[in-house]
Amino acid sequence: RLPVPKLEDTIRRYLNAQKPLLSDDQFRKTEELAHRFEKGIGRELHEQLVAQDNQNKHTSYITGPWFDMYLKAREPVVLNFNAFMSFNPDPKSEYNDQLIRATNMTVSAIRFMKTFRAGYLEPEVFHLNPEKSDTQVFKNIIRFVPSSASWFGAYMVNAYPLDMSQYFRLFNSTRLPKPNRDELYTDEKAKHLLVLRKGNFYVFDVIDRDGNMLKPSEIQAHLKYILSDNSPAPAFPLGYLSSENRDTWALLRKSLLDNGNEEALQKVDSAVFCLSLDDFPVKDFVHLSHTMLHGDGANRWYDKSFNLIITKDGTAGINFEHSWGDGVAVLRFQNEVFKDSTKVPAVSPQSQPASVDSSRAVQKLDFKLNDALKAGITKAKQKFDATVESLSLNMIQFHEGGKDLLKQKKVSPDAVAQLAFQMAFLRQYNQTVATYESCSTAAFKHGRTETIRPASVHTKKCSEAFVRELSKHSTEDLQKLIVECSKYHGRLTKEAAMGQGFDRHLFGLRHLASSKGTALPEFYQDQAYARLNHNIISTSTLVSPAVQLGGFGPVVSDGFGVGYQVHDDWIGCNVSSYPTRNGKEYLQCIYKSLEDIFNVLKGKKIGS
């Protein structure tokens, strides 16, 4: 179970995170408020939270508050919450044809769903010592240990089974807009796929009456039929509505239902998933990121648990809604679909689609729109276009080293990437700001995520040495500062993964206070608390053989959204930003910081 940290540990960690962001006077005030909270109302709330947690052993203390946080948010899901991960191309180039890849990935996705529902999906396990535990011998032994004791057996060899309670929401699921708080909806009985093309909506069954998957050649035939449909794009594409403010969308959805669209919307909401077929090829990585993160607004349904997007040249990616689950579940799905569709593809470029009557099997959904709905769609499109217009996406690839070299120098690759982000921001804006790094707590029952706070007194000191005081430090001094940062970051990461961060605990206490109608404690009214939670640098990382790159929008209007990957011999980084920040320049500063750090670790003297 996810532990509730000790209150004194949380306050100590909170103050450590505040220190690099505040002046001495500001820090003294925040410290005083924190200790008062710890001894007073905070202690009461903490005891109530622990008692509540003990009465709810089937879940975790963060589950309710976290769902609330996502589902009560009224901002549009696109750019604010939905993230994307794009697939690597199929190694066999002729399989990157849009129809072939769409068929193979759809088949693999359904295979994954059926395997999961039948209880045959291999458990998700984090192996600290893969050579000991990620072996056939271990699997054979653990298979026969009763489940009440098997996790203990896994712990003995440093293998940690991860929570998979989010997985069922991958399929047949959607987020429904409701006034004040949205709802998650799942209908596992539905057998159809939703396909979007040119803003038109199509559905066809992919599972038959006996629960078996349709033949791949039939799925291919239906997709071919959709790809060759000459229907024009609708004048009022419904997809834009899912990009609206949630309360606005909730009202418009009610109008849609009242206007005779109940059956069509039910098909959209309950579909196995949404397959979006785009009519253009991808030009470059920046275009790829824009396509997968937001697209044109007409050919997406942002409320579905995920959209599988495939462009004209067979480039594929996933855009996923975030309230139901985290990157871990989506990544497992993506890894399996990539592996299955490339290693054992269901159809080949030589395959012939089945000779079936697709015009009968495929239903094009027709929506009845009155003037108010048409006006709503027009307004949603204008807002969407304006927001997307203001979003910049930029990226770099650093090829002067990666994980291998950093491990050889005994420093943490993640710590070095995070140090570069701090150093770059100091170089560009001359300050240290609130920074967020996401860390999964899936090692616990109903765990979600915890925050690592990468901006520390150590990164600040090291960044200042590199950016402002280079002449005062020898290469050896600088190396020591990097090692110091690496050790501290390693400790923060370990604490977060073990459920020993401070962010979720403080969030849970605040949620408890507001749910009980208690006045908001003074601690939470501190400007420093607000500033720490205004995450100007928001970061997230993943590396997988299936994923080419991933990204998300800035979480605040004056922030950067930083998606990064530290590979064996190179580092990839992409940054999203709005006009108040210059993402291109920030990336140049990140590149310079990485260059300096790597040169210092190699023992080279660097110039300013």
Side-chain angles (χ1 to χ4, degrees):
R1 298 195 65 232
L2 183 70
V4 178
K6 290 181 182 153
L7 186 59
E8 51 273 30
D9 288 346
T10 287
I11 297 299
R12 174 177 52 80
R13 289 168 181 146
Y14 168 74
L15 290 171
N16 283 343
Q18 285 286 19
K19 200 147 188 120
L21 309 179
L22 303 174
S23 68
D24 290 349
D25 285 351
Q26 288 170 323
F27 183 74
R28 267 193 295 277
K29 183 189 163 216
T30 291
E31 191 173 34
E32 195 183 312
L33 283 169
H35 288 312
R36 212 182 302 157
F37 177 74
E38 185 187 343
K39 292 185 181 73
I41 180 75
R43 176 67 51 198
E44 287 170 41
L45 288 167
H46 174 74
E47 280 162 9
Q48 287 170 15
L49 186 72
V50 169
Q52 202 179 55
D53 185 53
N54 288 333
Q55 283 164 356
N56 291 282
K57 298 215 156 138
H58 62 286
T59 186
S60 73
Y61 77 90
I62 201 61
T63 297
W66 211 239
F67 274 127
D68 265 0
M69 182 271 298
Y70 274 124
L71 296 172
K72 283 182 173 173
R74 300 292 82 192
E75 301 90 346
V77 292
V78 62
L79 296 185
N80 293 306
F81 296 105
N82 287 26
F84 84 87
M85 296 192 266
S86 73
F87 286 96
N88 272 315
D90 191 306
K92 302 183 290 298
S93 60
E94 68 276 19
Y95 279 78
N96 289 309
D97 167 85
Q98 187 177 25
L99 175 60
I100 300 298
R101 199 158 200 209
T103 306
N104 283 327
M105 285 194 151
T106 298
V107 168
S108 295
I110 297 164
R111 279 181 184 160
F112 179 93
M113 177 183 81
K114 285 179 63 61
T115 307
F116 170 66
R117 287 184 180 162
Y120 288 126
L121 192 66
E122 198 170 299
E124 188 67 14
V125 180
F126 176 66
H127 297 275
L128 217 53
N129 277 340
E131 52 282 348
K132 268 193 189 166
S133 58
D134 199 4
T135 61
Q136 211 43 57
V137 174
F138 169 74
K139 287 175 190 175
N140 289 341
I141 294 169
I142 212 77
R143 188 173 283 139
F144 296 107
V145 180
S147 60
S148 56
S150 59
W151 64 272
F152 187 73
Y155 275 24
M156 299 300 283
V157 289
N158 264 335
Y160 299 90
L162 302 184
D163 178 76
M164 294 173 75
S165 63
Q166 298 172 2
Y167 283 49
F168 82 100
R169 291 258 190 226
L170 270 165
F171 305 104
N172 299 99
S173 297
T174 200
R175 173 177 174 158
L176 299 176
K178 300 277 174 171
N180 307 321
R181 186 187 191 272
D182 290 356
E183 279 171 22
L184 291 175
Y185 168 84
T186 302
D187 175 7
E188 294 190 353
K189 292 190 292 292
K191 298 173 163 51
H192 62 280
L193 178 69
L194 170 66
V195 184
L196 300 187
R197 177 167 171 260
K198 286 187 182 169
N200 289 307
F201 288 59
Y202 305 86
V203 291
F204 64 85
D205 283 356
V206 285
I207 304 282
D208 69 16
R209 256 173 288 178
D210 304 322
N212 299 314
M213 180 174 64
L214 229 61
K215 287 197 193 94
S217 60
E218 290 182 29
I219 292 175
Q220 184 183 5
H222 299 337
L223 291 176
K224 186 178 181 180
Y225 172 79
I226 292 169
L227 282 168
S228 51
D229 180 19
N230 289 325
S231 302
F236 299 95
L238 209 72
Y240 285 112
L241 293 179
S242 67
S243 75
E244 251 295 7
N245 165 285
R246 304 306 292 176
D247 282 337
T248 309
W249 173 203
L251 289 170
L252 287 163
R253 182 184 160 86
K254 192 176 177 320
S255 306
L256 274 169
L257 293 168
D258 296 344
N259 217 45
N261 295 293
E262 197 171 343
E263 203 182 313
L265 277 175
Q266 172 62 21
K267 291 268 193 217
V268 171
D269 298 335
S270 62
V272 174
F273 63 89
C274 176
L275 172 67
S276 297
L277 300 172
D278 282 350
D279 266 5
F280 53 82
V282 165
K283 300 200 250 316
D284 52 34
F285 281 138
V286 171
H287 183 222
L288 170 73
S289 298
H290 279 291
T291 302
M292 301 304 170
L293 183 59
H294 55 77
D296 67 354
N299 215 40
R300 304 281 181 273
W301 194 255
Y302 301 109
D303 288 355
K304 283 301 277 182
S305 49
F306 70 90
N307 286 245
L308 171 59
I309 301 157
I310 303 184
T311 63
K312 192 82 176 157
D313 58 357
T315 303
I318 278 182
N319 176 295
F320 67 97
E321 198 280 312
H322 220 318
S323 63
W324 66 269
D326 303 303
V328 194
V330 182
L331 188 61
R332 171 70 188 270
F333 170 67
Q334 227 168 324
N335 287 341
E336 298 284 5
V337 166
F338 183 75
K339 194 166 97 181
D340 190 65
S341 64
T342 55
K343 296 260 172 30
V344 279
V347 299
S348 75
Q350 288 72 46
S351 305
Q352 287 304 310
S355 44
V356 284
D357 185 359
S358 294
S359 66
R360 287 184 60 184
V362 178
Q363 180 194 356
K364 184 164 171 250
L365 299 182
D366 198 23
F367 296 95
K368 301 174 189 70
L369 305 176
N370 58 21
D371 289 348
L373 285 164
K374 287 176 181 174
I377 291 172
T378 303
K379 198 165 177 198
K381 179 183 183 337
Q382 287 164 349
K383 282 201 229 172
F384 175 85
D385 289 346
T387 310
V388 162
E389 186 61 37
S390 69
L391 177 82
S392 297
L393 292 174
N394 295 283
M395 58 197 53
I396 53 159
Q397 290 186 352
F398 176 82
H399 284 284
E400 292 172 44
K403 201 185 287 179
D404 291 348
L405 191 128
L406 295 170
K407 284 190 167 168
Q408 194 188 318
K409 300 289 178 193
K410 299 197 168 37
V411 290
S412 144
D414 191 58
V416 165
Q418 289 289 345
L419 174 60
F421 305 153
Q422 292 301 314
M423 213 178 271
F425 200 89
L426 187 75
R427 190 180 291 280
Q428 189 179 5
Y429 294 105
N430 208 20
Q431 63 182 139
T432 297
V433 292
T435 307
Y436 181 108
E437 179 182 356
S438 182
C439 175
S440 170
T441 49
F444 300 98
K445 189 183 186 73
H446 292 193
R448 293 283 313 232
T449 57
E450 181 54 271
T451 310
I452 300 167
R453 291 289 181 176
S456 66
V457 287
H458 304 284
T459 59
K460 190 176 185 176
K461 188 176 166 189
C462 184
S463 299
E464 284 174 349
F466 271 81
V467 175
R468 294 181 186 157
E469 307 157 352
L470 204 51
S471 55
K472 294 186 195 165
H473 295 274
S474 67
T475 304
E476 215 163 63
D477 287 345
L478 296 172
Q479 283 174 344
K480 279 184 188 145
L481 288 170
I482 296 169
V483 169
E484 200 67 13
C485 290
S486 173
K487 278 186 187 151
Y488 187 70
H489 188 76
R491 197 177 96 199
L492 290 182
T493 304
K494 198 171 178 183
E495 284 173 354
M498 296 312 289
Q500 294 292 335
F502 67 84
D503 278 86
R504 298 298 175 270
H505 186 197
L506 289 178
F507 184 83
L509 297 175
R510 183 181 178 161
H511 186 271
L512 185 63
S514 71
S515 69
K516 288 199 178 313
T518 316
L520 186 65
E522 214 184 346
F523 170 81
Y524 292 109
Q525 297 178 46
D526 182 10
Q527 274 182 317
Y529 177 84
R531 213 168 350 178
L532 182 68
N533 287 288
H534 184 85
N535 292 299
I536 289 175
I537 306 173
S538 182
T539 73
S540 189
T541 184
L542 56 95
V543 174
S544 143
V547 175
Q548 194 164 28
L549 82 166
F552 50 94
V555 296
V556 292
S557 61
D558 59 341
F560 289 126
V562 183
Y564 64 104
Q565 295 138 315
V566 185
H567 298 275
D568 290 344
D569 54 358
W570 65 282
I571 297 171
C573 185
N574 63 65
V575 167
S576 61
S577 58
Y578 292 117
T580 47
R581 296 279 180 200
N582 185 336
K584 205 170 192 140
E585 191 182 297
Y586 183 49
L587 275 168
Q588 286 163 354
C589 293
I590 290 173
Y591 196 94
K592 164 94 175 102
S593 303
L594 285 170
E595 211 166 34
D596 286 353
I597 295 166
F598 272 84
N599 280 332
V600 162
L601 289 172
K602 290 171 187 168
K604 292 181 186 168
K605 188 153 175 56
I606 54 169
S608 56

